[in-house]
Amino acid sequence: ELLSRELEQASAQLVQADDSYQRELLDDSAPRRERDEATASLIESVVELREVLTGVYGTTVLEPAGLTQVTPRESVQLSRYVAQILTALPKVTLPPPRVKGAQVDIKATVADLTQRRTRLDDAVAVVARETREAQAAMSVRDEAQSHLDDVYTQVSTVLSGLLRLAGKPDLADRVRPTIARRADKPEAPAPTPAGP
C-alpha cells in the first residue's frame, strides 16, 4: 500500500504538471496572433510610406527619412527599424513635391507609426512573457516526470527484492525495475539486484 501510494502521488503530480503545461500552451495563440497582426500592420504602413515619399518627393528623400533598408519582417527588428524612422522623419527637410499640390503630413505619419509600433511592442512583450511562462511550466512538468521515473524505479526494485525474499522469483522477474523514459531523455540502466 505504501509503495502504491508513492506511485499514485508521483503520477498525480505529473498529471497536474502536464495539465498546467498544456493550459499554458493553449493561451499562447491569442498573443501570437496579435503580434503577427501588429507586425503586418506596421510593415504595411512602412512600405506605404516609402512608396508615398518616393512618389511625391523622389528617392533622394528616403535616406534622410530613415528608410535606409528593406523593411524587416521579424517583429523585433521591425520595431527597431521603425524607431530609426521615427527619429529621422521629424528632422527631414522635404524637397519640393514632384506633383504640384501634393504633400505628406509628417506629423500625422509619425503619430500613426508611433501608435502602430507601440501596439507591436506591447504584443511582443506579452508573447515573451507567455514564452517564459510556458518554459517554466515545462520545467515543472519535466521535474515531475523525472520524479515519477525515480519513484517507479525505486518501488519496482524494492518490490522485486521483496518477491525474491518471499520465494517468488518468477513474479520478481516480471517486475521491471525501470520504465521507458521520454524520447529526449535516455533511459537509465536497470539496477542490479543485490545478492542474498
Side-chain angles (χ1 to χ4, degrees), residues 38 41-50 53 65 67 78-79 81-87 89-90 105-121:
S41 172
L42 191 52
I43 288 172
E44 184 180 350
S45 292
V46 173
V47 169
E48 183 178 297
L49 174 62
R50 178 186 293 274
L53 287 176
L67 294 154
L78 175 63
S79 178
Y81 181 53
V82 172
Q84 169 187 311
I85 295 170
L86 289 171
T87 299
L89 202 53
D105 187 338
I106 296 296
K107 188 174 180 181
T109 301
V110 166
D112 179 64
L113 284 177
T114 300
Q115 182 180 12
R116 292 174 191 265
R117 179 174 179 255
T118 298
R119 177 190 175 194
L120 175 59
D121 288 346

PDB file of all heavy atoms in Angstrom, residues 38 41-50 53 65 67 78-79 81-87 89-90 105-121:
ATOM      1  N   ALA A  38      -0.099  42.885 -35.588  1.00  0.00           N
ATOM      2  CA  ALA A  38       0.555  44.182 -35.383  1.00  0.00           C
ATOM      3  C   ALA A  38       1.782  44.314 -36.276  1.00  0.00           C
ATOM      4  O   ALA A  38       2.059  45.398 -36.809  1.00  0.00           O
ATOM      5  CB  ALA A  38       0.954  44.340 -33.910  1.00  0.00           C
ATOM      6  N   SER A  41       0.558  44.999 -39.829  1.00  0.00           N
ATOM      7  CA  SER A  41       0.040  46.364 -39.933  1.00  0.00           C
ATOM      8  C   SER A  41       1.174  47.381 -40.044  1.00  0.00           C
ATOM      9  O   SER A  41       1.120  48.313 -40.850  1.00  0.00           O
ATOM     10  CB  SER A  41      -0.836  46.667 -38.713  1.00  0.00           C
ATOM     11  OG  SER A  41      -1.204  48.023 -38.686  1.00  0.00           O
ATOM     12  N   LEU A  42       2.211  47.187 -39.249  1.00  0.00           N
ATOM     13  CA  LEU A  42       3.336  48.126 -39.258  1.00  0.00           C
ATOM     14  C   LEU A  42       4.140  47.995 -40.545  1.00  0.00           C
ATOM     15  O   LEU A  42       4.583  49.000 -41.113  1.00  0.00           O
ATOM     16  CB  LEU A  42       4.225  47.879 -38.035  1.00  0.00           C
ATOM     17  CG  LEU A  42       5.306  48.919 -37.744  1.00  0.00           C
ATOM     18  CD1 LEU A  42       4.733  50.329 -37.696  1.00  0.00           C
ATOM     19  CD2 LEU A  42       6.021  48.593 -36.441  1.00  0.00           C
ATOM     20  N   ILE A  43       4.330  46.771 -41.015  1.00  0.00           N
ATOM     21  CA  ILE A  43       5.027  46.571 -42.295  1.00  0.00           C
ATOM     22  C   ILE A  43       4.287  47.297 -43.412  1.00  0.00           C
ATOM     23  O   ILE A  43       4.887  48.006 -44.229  1.00  0.00           O
ATOM     24  CB  ILE A  43       5.147  45.064 -42.620  1.00  0.00           C
ATOM     25  CG1 ILE A  43       6.163  44.396 -41.697  1.00  0.00           C
ATOM     26  CG2 ILE A  43       5.541  44.855 -44.080  1.00  0.00           C
ATOM     27  CD1 ILE A  43       6.209  42.892 -41.813  1.00  0.00           C
ATOM     28  N   GLU A  44       2.974  47.133 -43.436  1.00  0.00           N
ATOM     29  CA  GLU A  44       2.163  47.774 -44.463  1.00  0.00           C
ATOM     30  C   GLU A  44       2.329  49.297 -44.428  1.00  0.00           C
ATOM     31  O   GLU A  44       2.467  49.950 -45.464  1.00  0.00           O
ATOM     32  CB  GLU A  44       0.696  47.396 -44.265  1.00  0.00           C
ATOM     33  CG  GLU A  44      -0.228  47.939 -45.328  1.00  0.00           C
ATOM     34  CD  GLU A  44      -1.686  47.546 -45.089  1.00  0.00           C
ATOM     35  OE1 GLU A  44      -1.947  46.696 -44.211  1.00  0.00           O
ATOM     36  OE2 GLU A  44      -2.553  48.102 -45.783  1.00  0.00           O
ATOM     37  N   SER A  45       2.352  49.865 -43.218  1.00  0.00           N
ATOM     38  CA  SER A  45       2.488  51.321 -43.093  1.00  0.00           C
ATOM     39  C   SER A  45       3.847  51.806 -43.568  1.00  0.00           C
ATOM     40  O   SER A  45       3.954  52.842 -44.234  1.00  0.00           O
ATOM     41  CB  SER A  45       2.287  51.739 -41.630  1.00  0.00           C
ATOM     42  OG  SER A  45       0.956  51.526 -41.252  1.00  0.00           O
ATOM     43  N   VAL A  46       4.912  51.056 -43.232  1.00  0.00           N
ATOM     44  CA  VAL A  46       6.260  51.466 -43.634  1.00  0.00           C
ATOM     45  C   VAL A  46       6.420  51.360 -45.147  1.00  0.00           C
ATOM     46  O   VAL A  46       6.973  52.265 -45.791  1.00  0.00           O
ATOM     47  CB  VAL A  46       7.326  50.616 -42.905  1.00  0.00           C
ATOM     48  CG1 VAL A  46       8.723  50.911 -43.457  1.00  0.00           C
ATOM     49  CG2 VAL A  46       7.292  50.892 -41.410  1.00  0.00           C
ATOM     50  N   VAL A  47       5.933  50.274 -45.728  1.00  0.00           N
ATOM     51  CA  VAL A  47       6.016  50.099 -47.184  1.00  0.00           C
ATOM     52  C   VAL A  47       5.227  51.200 -47.890  1.00  0.00           C
ATOM     53  O   VAL A  47       5.693  51.790 -48.879  1.00  0.00           O
ATOM     54  CB  VAL A  47       5.499  48.701 -47.587  1.00  0.00           C
ATOM     55  CG1 VAL A  47       5.335  48.602 -49.105  1.00  0.00           C
ATOM     56  CG2 VAL A  47       6.446  47.619 -47.081  1.00  0.00           C
ATOM     57  N   GLU A  48       4.058  51.505 -47.372  1.00  0.00           N
ATOM     58  CA  GLU A  48       3.235  52.569 -47.965  1.00  0.00           C
ATOM     59  C   GLU A  48       3.927  53.928 -47.845  1.00  0.00           C
ATOM     60  O   GLU A  48       3.917  54.726 -48.789  1.00  0.00           O
ATOM     61  CB  GLU A  48       1.876  52.607 -47.266  1.00  0.00           C
ATOM     62  CG  GLU A  48       0.917  53.620 -47.844  1.00  0.00           C
ATOM     63  CD  GLU A  48      -0.425  53.592 -47.144  1.00  0.00           C
ATOM     64  OE1 GLU A  48      -1.115  52.560 -47.211  1.00  0.00           O
ATOM     65  OE2 GLU A  48      -0.777  54.610 -46.506  1.00  0.00           O
ATOM     66  N   LEU A  49       4.560  54.175 -46.691  1.00  0.00           N
ATOM     67  CA  LEU A  49       5.277  55.444 -46.500  1.00  0.00           C
ATOM     68  C   LEU A  49       6.406  55.575 -47.518  1.00  0.00           C
ATOM     69  O   LEU A  49       6.585  56.643 -48.119  1.00  0.00           O
ATOM     70  CB  LEU A  49       5.835  55.520 -45.078  1.00  0.00           C
ATOM     71  CG  LEU A  49       6.725  56.723 -44.769  1.00  0.00           C
ATOM     72  CD1 LEU A  49       5.949  58.035 -44.934  1.00  0.00           C
ATOM     73  CD2 LEU A  49       7.309  56.611 -43.361  1.00  0.00           C
ATOM     74  N   ARG A  50       7.138  54.508 -47.725  1.00  0.00           N
ATOM     75  CA  ARG A  50       8.228  54.529 -48.704  1.00  0.00           C
ATOM     76  C   ARG A  50       7.684  54.867 -50.108  1.00  0.00           C
ATOM     77  O   ARG A  50       8.252  55.693 -50.823  1.00  0.00           O
ATOM     78  CB  ARG A  50       8.937  53.174 -48.725  1.00  0.00           C
ATOM     79  CG  ARG A  50      10.068  53.079 -49.755  1.00  0.00           C
ATOM     80  CD  ARG A  50      10.610  51.657 -49.819  1.00  0.00           C
ATOM     81  NE  ARG A  50      11.276  51.284 -48.599  1.00  0.00           N
ATOM     82  CZ  ARG A  50      12.557  51.525 -48.325  1.00  0.00           C
ATOM     83  NH1 ARG A  50      13.299  52.165 -49.214  1.00  0.00           N
ATOM     84  NH2 ARG A  50      13.084  51.148 -47.197  1.00  0.00           N
ATOM     85  N   LEU A  53       6.407  58.628 -50.190  1.00  0.00           N
ATOM     86  CA  LEU A  53       7.520  59.584 -50.215  1.00  0.00           C
ATOM     87  C   LEU A  53       8.233  59.560 -51.563  1.00  0.00           C
ATOM     88  O   LEU A  53       8.598  60.613 -52.098  1.00  0.00           O
ATOM     89  CB  LEU A  53       8.513  59.280 -49.087  1.00  0.00           C
ATOM     90  CG  LEU A  53       8.066  59.641 -47.677  1.00  0.00           C
ATOM     91  CD1 LEU A  53       9.110  59.197 -46.654  1.00  0.00           C
ATOM     92  CD2 LEU A  53       7.795  61.142 -47.529  1.00  0.00           C
ATOM     93  N   ALA A  65      14.957  60.302 -44.375  1.00  0.00           N
ATOM     94  CA  ALA A  65      13.750  59.950 -43.624  1.00  0.00           C
ATOM     95  C   ALA A  65      13.934  58.663 -42.818  1.00  0.00           C
ATOM     96  O   ALA A  65      13.005  58.220 -42.138  1.00  0.00           O
ATOM     97  CB  ALA A  65      12.565  59.807 -44.566  1.00  0.00           C
ATOM     98  N   LEU A  67      14.543  55.667 -44.073  1.00  0.00           N
ATOM     99  CA  LEU A  67      14.149  54.480 -44.837  1.00  0.00           C
ATOM    100  C   LEU A  67      15.353  53.959 -45.611  1.00  0.00           C
ATOM    101  O   LEU A  67      15.459  54.092 -46.832  1.00  0.00           O
ATOM    102  CB  LEU A  67      12.990  54.824 -45.772  1.00  0.00           C
ATOM    103  CG  LEU A  67      11.691  55.177 -45.029  1.00  0.00           C
ATOM    104  CD1 LEU A  67      10.800  56.078 -45.858  1.00  0.00           C
ATOM    105  CD2 LEU A  67      10.950  53.910 -44.636  1.00  0.00           C
ATOM    106  N   LEU A  78      11.808  44.838 -36.899  1.00  0.00           N
ATOM    107  CA  LEU A  78      10.899  45.838 -37.471  1.00  0.00           C
ATOM    108  C   LEU A  78      10.710  47.004 -36.516  1.00  0.00           C
ATOM    109  O   LEU A  78      10.760  48.172 -36.920  1.00  0.00           O
ATOM    110  CB  LEU A  78       9.551  45.192 -37.796  1.00  0.00           C
ATOM    111  CG  LEU A  78       8.453  46.124 -38.298  1.00  0.00           C
ATOM    112  CD1 LEU A  78       8.843  46.764 -39.630  1.00  0.00           C
ATOM    113  CD2 LEU A  78       7.129  45.371 -38.425  1.00  0.00           C
ATOM    114  N   SER A  79      10.511  46.708 -35.241  1.00  0.00           N
ATOM    115  CA  SER A  79      10.319  47.768 -34.247  1.00  0.00           C
ATOM    116  C   SER A  79      11.541  48.675 -34.174  1.00  0.00           C
ATOM    117  O   SER A  79      11.421  49.909 -34.106  1.00  0.00           O
ATOM    118  CB  SER A  79      10.028  47.156 -32.879  1.00  0.00           C
ATOM    119  OG  SER A  79       9.882  48.168 -31.915  1.00  0.00           O
ATOM    120  N   TYR A  81      13.747  49.172 -36.539  1.00  0.00           N
ATOM    121  CA  TYR A  81      13.822  49.924 -37.793  1.00  0.00           C
ATOM    122  C   TYR A  81      12.863  51.107 -37.776  1.00  0.00           C
ATOM    123  O   TYR A  81      13.217  52.228 -38.166  1.00  0.00           O
ATOM    124  CB  TYR A  81      13.504  48.986 -38.958  1.00  0.00           C
ATOM    125  CG  TYR A  81      13.557  49.625 -40.324  1.00  0.00           C
ATOM    126  CD1 TYR A  81      14.675  50.321 -40.752  1.00  0.00           C
ATOM    127  CD2 TYR A  81      12.477  49.515 -41.196  1.00  0.00           C
ATOM    128  CE1 TYR A  81      14.729  50.897 -42.009  1.00  0.00           C
ATOM    129  CE2 TYR A  81      12.513  50.083 -42.459  1.00  0.00           C
ATOM    130  CZ  TYR A  81      13.648  50.775 -42.859  1.00  0.00           C
ATOM    131  OH  TYR A  81      13.696  51.345 -44.107  1.00  0.00           O
ATOM    132  N   VAL A  82      11.655  50.887 -37.289  1.00  0.00           N
ATOM    133  CA  VAL A  82      10.671  51.967 -37.219  1.00  0.00           C
ATOM    134  C   VAL A  82      11.121  53.034 -36.210  1.00  0.00           C
ATOM    135  O   VAL A  82      10.878  54.230 -36.420  1.00  0.00           O
ATOM    136  CB  VAL A  82       9.270  51.412 -36.883  1.00  0.00           C
ATOM    137  CG1 VAL A  82       8.285  52.537 -36.611  1.00  0.00           C
ATOM    138  CG2 VAL A  82       8.766  50.548 -38.033  1.00  0.00           C
ATOM    139  N   ALA A  83      11.791  52.623 -35.144  1.00  0.00           N
ATOM    140  CA  ALA A  83      12.336  53.605 -34.190  1.00  0.00           C
ATOM    141  C   ALA A  83      13.323  54.530 -34.904  1.00  0.00           C
ATOM    142  O   ALA A  83      13.346  55.749 -34.659  1.00  0.00           O
ATOM    143  CB  ALA A  83      13.014  52.888 -33.028  1.00  0.00           C
ATOM    144  N   GLN A  84      14.116  53.957 -35.795  1.00  0.00           N
ATOM    145  CA  GLN A  84      15.064  54.752 -36.592  1.00  0.00           C
ATOM    146  C   GLN A  84      14.313  55.739 -37.490  1.00  0.00           C
ATOM    147  O   GLN A  84      14.694  56.916 -37.592  1.00  0.00           O
ATOM    148  CB  GLN A  84      15.909  53.797 -37.440  1.00  0.00           C
ATOM    149  CG  GLN A  84      16.763  54.438 -38.509  1.00  0.00           C
ATOM    150  CD  GLN A  84      17.435  53.392 -39.393  1.00  0.00           C
ATOM    151  OE1 GLN A  84      18.037  52.441 -38.909  1.00  0.00           O
ATOM    152  NE2 GLN A  84      17.320  53.559 -40.707  1.00  0.00           N
ATOM    153  N   ILE A  85      13.242  55.278 -38.101  1.00  0.00           N
ATOM    154  CA  ILE A  85      12.439  56.152 -38.966  1.00  0.00           C
ATOM    155  C   ILE A  85      11.805  57.271 -38.146  1.00  0.00           C
ATOM    156  O   ILE A  85      11.808  58.438 -38.559  1.00  0.00           O
ATOM    157  CB  ILE A  85      11.349  55.333 -39.697  1.00  0.00           C
ATOM    158  CG1 ILE A  85      11.983  54.328 -40.648  1.00  0.00           C
ATOM    159  CG2 ILE A  85      10.395  56.254 -40.454  1.00  0.00           C
ATOM    160  CD1 ILE A  85      11.007  53.317 -41.227  1.00  0.00           C
ATOM    161  N   LEU A  86      11.283  56.930 -36.974  1.00  0.00           N
ATOM    162  CA  LEU A  86      10.622  57.926 -36.131  1.00  0.00           C
ATOM    163  C   LEU A  86      11.598  58.982 -35.623  1.00  0.00           C
ATOM    164  O   LEU A  86      11.204  60.116 -35.339  1.00  0.00           O
ATOM    165  CB  LEU A  86       9.935  57.232 -34.945  1.00  0.00           C
ATOM    166  CG  LEU A  86       8.698  56.408 -35.307  1.00  0.00           C
ATOM    167  CD1 LEU A  86       8.222  55.598 -34.122  1.00  0.00           C
ATOM    168  CD2 LEU A  86       7.590  57.318 -35.830  1.00  0.00           C
ATOM    169  N   THR A  87      12.862  58.617 -35.486  1.00  0.00           N
ATOM    170  CA  THR A  87      13.878  59.595 -35.091  1.00  0.00           C
ATOM    171  C   THR A  87      14.219  60.524 -36.256  1.00  0.00           C
ATOM    172  O   THR A  87      14.381  61.738 -36.082  1.00  0.00           O
ATOM    173  CB  THR A  87      15.150  58.877 -34.605  1.00  0.00           C
ATOM    174  OG1 THR A  87      14.833  58.076 -33.479  1.00  0.00           O
ATOM    175  CG2 THR A  87      16.239  59.872 -34.224  1.00  0.00           C
ATOM    176  N   LEU A  89      12.463  61.010 -39.304  1.00  0.00           N
ATOM    177  CA  LEU A  89      11.378  61.623 -40.079  1.00  0.00           C
ATOM    178  C   LEU A  89      11.038  63.059 -39.653  1.00  0.00           C
ATOM    179  O   LEU A  89      10.887  63.943 -40.519  1.00  0.00           O
ATOM    180  CB  LEU A  89      10.136  60.723 -40.009  1.00  0.00           C
ATOM    181  CG  LEU A  89       9.094  60.887 -41.110  1.00  0.00           C
ATOM    182  CD1 LEU A  89       9.722  60.771 -42.500  1.00  0.00           C
ATOM    183  CD2 LEU A  89       8.005  59.828 -40.940  1.00  0.00           C
ATOM    184  N   PRO A  90      10.927  63.344 -38.341  1.00  0.00           N
ATOM    185  CA  PRO A  90      10.582  64.727 -37.975  1.00  0.00           C
ATOM    186  C   PRO A  90      11.667  65.745 -38.339  1.00  0.00           C
ATOM    187  O   PRO A  90      11.401  66.938 -38.440  1.00  0.00           O
ATOM    188  CB  PRO A  90      10.410  64.657 -36.444  1.00  0.00           C
ATOM    189  CG  PRO A  90      10.162  63.218 -36.149  1.00  0.00           C
ATOM    190  CD  PRO A  90      10.946  62.461 -37.170  1.00  0.00           C
ATOM    191  N   ASP A 105       1.863  64.646 -44.726  1.00  0.00           N
ATOM    192  CA  ASP A 105       1.739  65.194 -43.370  1.00  0.00           C
ATOM    193  C   ASP A 105       2.663  64.392 -42.455  1.00  0.00           C
ATOM    194  O   ASP A 105       2.313  63.307 -41.979  1.00  0.00           O
ATOM    195  CB  ASP A 105       0.288  65.089 -42.899  1.00  0.00           C
ATOM    196  CG  ASP A 105       0.065  65.799 -41.569  1.00  0.00           C
ATOM    197  OD1 ASP A 105       1.052  66.007 -40.821  1.00  0.00           O
ATOM    198  OD2 ASP A 105      -1.102  66.116 -41.260  1.00  0.00           O
ATOM    199  N   ILE A 106       3.860  64.931 -42.239  1.00  0.00           N
ATOM    200  CA  ILE A 106       4.880  64.218 -41.457  1.00  0.00           C
ATOM    201  C   ILE A 106       4.414  63.999 -40.021  1.00  0.00           C
ATOM    202  O   ILE A 106       4.589  62.910 -39.446  1.00  0.00           O
ATOM    203  CB  ILE A 106       6.218  64.992 -41.476  1.00  0.00           C
ATOM    204  CG1 ILE A 106       6.769  65.055 -42.902  1.00  0.00           C
ATOM    205  CG2 ILE A 106       7.222  64.354 -40.535  1.00  0.00           C
ATOM    206  CD1 ILE A 106       7.129  63.718 -43.501  1.00  0.00           C
ATOM    207  N   LYS A 107       3.782  65.011 -39.434  1.00  0.00           N
ATOM    208  CA  LYS A 107       3.343  64.904 -38.041  1.00  0.00           C
ATOM    209  C   LYS A 107       2.325  63.776 -37.878  1.00  0.00           C
ATOM    210  O   LYS A 107       2.424  62.953 -36.951  1.00  0.00           O
ATOM    211  CB  LYS A 107       2.745  66.231 -37.578  1.00  0.00           C
ATOM    212  CG  LYS A 107       2.436  66.285 -36.098  1.00  0.00           C
ATOM    213  CD  LYS A 107       1.985  67.683 -35.685  1.00  0.00           C
ATOM    214  CE  LYS A 107       1.691  67.717 -34.197  1.00  0.00           C
ATOM    215  NZ  LYS A 107       1.236  69.051 -33.767  1.00  0.00           N
ATOM    216  N   ALA A 108       1.355  63.704 -38.773  1.00  0.00           N
ATOM    217  CA  ALA A 108       0.343  62.652 -38.707  1.00  0.00           C
ATOM    218  C   ALA A 108       0.966  61.283 -38.981  1.00  0.00           C
ATOM    219  O   ALA A 108       0.592  60.280 -38.363  1.00  0.00           O
ATOM    220  CB  ALA A 108      -0.766  62.930 -39.715  1.00  0.00           C
ATOM    221  N   THR A 109       1.935  61.250 -39.891  1.00  0.00           N
ATOM    222  CA  THR A 109       2.616  59.995 -40.213  1.00  0.00           C
ATOM    223  C   THR A 109       3.388  59.478 -39.002  1.00  0.00           C
ATOM    224  O   THR A 109       3.336  58.281 -38.682  1.00  0.00           O
ATOM    225  CB  THR A 109       3.576  60.188 -41.406  1.00  0.00           C
ATOM    226  OG1 THR A 109       2.822  60.633 -42.536  1.00  0.00           O
ATOM    227  CG2 THR A 109       4.297  58.909 -41.741  1.00  0.00           C
ATOM    228  N   VAL A 110       4.092  60.386 -38.320  1.00  0.00           N
ATOM    229  CA  VAL A 110       4.848  59.993 -37.115  1.00  0.00           C
ATOM    230  C   VAL A 110       3.901  59.482 -36.037  1.00  0.00           C
ATOM    231  O   VAL A 110       4.175  58.468 -35.381  1.00  0.00           O
ATOM    232  CB  VAL A 110       5.679  61.190 -36.600  1.00  0.00           C
ATOM    233  CG1 VAL A 110       6.201  60.925 -35.186  1.00  0.00           C
ATOM    234  CG2 VAL A 110       6.833  61.476 -37.556  1.00  0.00           C
ATOM    235  N   ALA A 111       2.777  60.148 -35.860  1.00  0.00           N
ATOM    236  CA  ALA A 111       1.801  59.722 -34.846  1.00  0.00           C
ATOM    237  C   ALA A 111       1.261  58.333 -35.160  1.00  0.00           C
ATOM    238  O   ALA A 111       1.129  57.474 -34.276  1.00  0.00           O
ATOM    239  CB  ALA A 111       0.662  60.733 -34.754  1.00  0.00           C
ATOM    240  N   ASP A 112       0.962  58.086 -36.430  1.00  0.00           N
ATOM    241  CA  ASP A 112       0.419  56.790 -36.838  1.00  0.00           C
ATOM    242  C   ASP A 112       1.457  55.685 -36.648  1.00  0.00           C
ATOM    243  O   ASP A 112       1.150  54.616 -36.094  1.00  0.00           O
ATOM    244  CB  ASP A 112      -0.027  56.848 -38.296  1.00  0.00           C
ATOM    245  CG  ASP A 112      -0.587  55.521 -38.773  1.00  0.00           C
ATOM    246  OD1 ASP A 112      -1.631  55.090 -38.243  1.00  0.00           O
ATOM    247  OD2 ASP A 112       0.027  54.894 -39.654  1.00  0.00           O
ATOM    248  N   LEU A 113       2.684  55.921 -37.098  1.00  0.00           N
ATOM    249  CA  LEU A 113       3.745  54.924 -36.933  1.00  0.00           C
ATOM    250  C   LEU A 113       4.024  54.647 -35.459  1.00  0.00           C
ATOM    251  O   LEU A 113       4.256  53.500 -35.063  1.00  0.00           O
ATOM    252  CB  LEU A 113       5.028  55.386 -37.621  1.00  0.00           C
ATOM    253  CG  LEU A 113       5.085  55.277 -39.149  1.00  0.00           C
ATOM    254  CD1 LEU A 113       6.399  55.847 -39.670  1.00  0.00           C
ATOM    255  CD2 LEU A 113       4.923  53.832 -39.603  1.00  0.00           C
ATOM    256  N   THR A 114       3.993  55.692 -34.647  1.00  0.00           N
ATOM    257  CA  THR A 114       4.236  55.524 -33.207  1.00  0.00           C
ATOM    258  C   THR A 114       3.171  54.639 -32.585  1.00  0.00           C
ATOM    259  O   THR A 114       3.476  53.724 -31.791  1.00  0.00           O
ATOM    260  CB  THR A 114       4.256  56.894 -32.502  1.00  0.00           C
ATOM    261  OG1 THR A 114       5.308  57.688 -33.062  1.00  0.00           O
ATOM    262  CG2 THR A 114       4.479  56.740 -31.005  1.00  0.00           C
ATOM    263  N   GLN A 115       1.930  54.873 -32.943  1.00  0.00           N
ATOM    264  CA  GLN A 115       0.821  54.076 -32.401  1.00  0.00           C
ATOM    265  C   GLN A 115       0.947  52.610 -32.817  1.00  0.00           C
ATOM    266  O   GLN A 115       0.785  51.698 -32.005  1.00  0.00           O
ATOM    267  CB  GLN A 115      -0.506  54.654 -32.880  1.00  0.00           C
ATOM    268  CG  GLN A 115      -1.724  53.922 -32.324  1.00  0.00           C
ATOM    269  CD  GLN A 115      -3.032  54.535 -32.826  1.00  0.00           C
ATOM    270  OE1 GLN A 115      -3.034  55.352 -33.740  1.00  0.00           O
ATOM    271  NE2 GLN A 115      -4.129  54.151 -32.212  1.00  0.00           N
ATOM    272  N   ARG A 116       1.254  52.381 -34.082  1.00  0.00           N
ATOM    273  CA  ARG A 116       1.383  51.007 -34.567  1.00  0.00           C
ATOM    274  C   ARG A 116       2.590  50.304 -33.946  1.00  0.00           C
ATOM    275  O   ARG A 116       2.542  49.111 -33.639  1.00  0.00           O
ATOM    276  CB  ARG A 116       1.481  50.995 -36.101  1.00  0.00           C
ATOM    277  CG  ARG A 116       0.201  51.422 -36.796  1.00  0.00           C
ATOM    278  CD  ARG A 116       0.421  51.524 -38.307  1.00  0.00           C
ATOM    279  NE  ARG A 116      -0.702  52.167 -38.959  1.00  0.00           N
ATOM    280  CZ  ARG A 116      -1.725  51.523 -39.513  1.00  0.00           C
ATOM    281  NH1 ARG A 116      -1.756  50.206 -39.487  1.00  0.00           N
ATOM    282  NH2 ARG A 116      -2.700  52.184 -40.101  1.00  0.00           N
ATOM    283  N   ARG A 117       3.672  51.049 -33.767  1.00  0.00           N
ATOM    284  CA  ARG A 117       4.868  50.456 -33.155  1.00  0.00           C
ATOM    285  C   ARG A 117       4.605  50.123 -31.690  1.00  0.00           C
ATOM    286  O   ARG A 117       5.046  49.077 -31.188  1.00  0.00           O
ATOM    287  CB  ARG A 117       6.054  51.417 -33.275  1.00  0.00           C
ATOM    288  CG  ARG A 117       7.327  50.858 -32.632  1.00  0.00           C
ATOM    289  CD  ARG A 117       8.527  51.761 -32.877  1.00  0.00           C
ATOM    290  NE  ARG A 117       9.694  51.199 -32.241  1.00  0.00           N
ATOM    291  CZ  ARG A 117      10.235  51.657 -31.116  1.00  0.00           C
ATOM    292  NH1 ARG A 117       9.703  52.708 -30.489  1.00  0.00           N
ATOM    293  NH2 ARG A 117      11.301  51.070 -30.592  1.00  0.00           N
ATOM    294  N   THR A 118       3.894  50.974 -30.979  1.00  0.00           N
ATOM    295  CA  THR A 118       3.553  50.699 -29.581  1.00  0.00           C
ATOM    296  C   THR A 118       2.718  49.435 -29.472  1.00  0.00           C
ATOM    297  O   THR A 118       2.945  48.590 -28.597  1.00  0.00           O
ATOM    298  CB  THR A 118       2.787  51.890 -28.973  1.00  0.00           C
ATOM    299  OG1 THR A 118       3.628  53.050 -29.005  1.00  0.00           O
ATOM    300  CG2 THR A 118       2.388  51.607 -27.528  1.00  0.00           C
ATOM    301  N   ARG A 119       1.760  49.285 -30.383  1.00  0.00           N
ATOM    302  CA  ARG A 119       0.942  48.062 -30.392  1.00  0.00           C
ATOM    303  C   ARG A 119       1.823  46.827 -30.583  1.00  0.00           C
ATOM    304  O   ARG A 119       1.655  45.814 -29.897  1.00  0.00           O
ATOM    305  CB  ARG A 119      -0.097  48.152 -31.513  1.00  0.00           C
ATOM    306  CG  ARG A 119      -0.946  46.893 -31.650  1.00  0.00           C
ATOM    307  CD  ARG A 119      -1.786  46.907 -32.914  1.00  0.00           C
ATOM    308  NE  ARG A 119      -2.497  45.639 -33.084  1.00  0.00           N
ATOM    309  CZ  ARG A 119      -3.083  45.258 -34.204  1.00  0.00           C
ATOM    310  NH1 ARG A 119      -3.048  46.051 -35.268  1.00  0.00           N
ATOM    311  NH2 ARG A 119      -3.696  44.082 -34.281  1.00  0.00           N
ATOM    312  N   LEU A 120       2.770  46.926 -31.519  1.00  0.00           N
ATOM    313  CA  LEU A 120       3.663  45.792 -31.778  1.00  0.00           C
ATOM    314  C   LEU A 120       4.538  45.496 -30.557  1.00  0.00           C
ATOM    315  O   LEU A 120       4.669  44.337 -30.152  1.00  0.00           O
ATOM    316  CB  LEU A 120       4.543  46.081 -32.997  1.00  0.00           C
ATOM    317  CG  LEU A 120       5.612  45.026 -33.299  1.00  0.00           C
ATOM    318  CD1 LEU A 120       4.993  43.661 -33.531  1.00  0.00           C
ATOM    319  CD2 LEU A 120       6.467  45.453 -34.490  1.00  0.00           C
ATOM    320  N   ASP A 121       5.125  46.524 -29.971  1.00  0.00           N
ATOM    321  CA  ASP A 121       5.995  46.316 -28.811  1.00  0.00           C
ATOM    322  C   ASP A 121       5.235  45.685 -27.650  1.00  0.00           C
ATOM    323  O   ASP A 121       5.756  44.801 -26.954  1.00  0.00           O
ATOM    324  CB  ASP A 121       6.623  47.644 -28.372  1.00  0.00           C
ATOM    325  CG  ASP A 121       7.681  48.134 -29.344  1.00  0.00           C
ATOM    326  OD1 ASP A 121       8.116  47.338 -30.201  1.00  0.00           O
ATOM    327  OD2 ASP A 121       8.072  49.314 -29.251  1.00  0.00           O
TER     328      ASP A 121
END
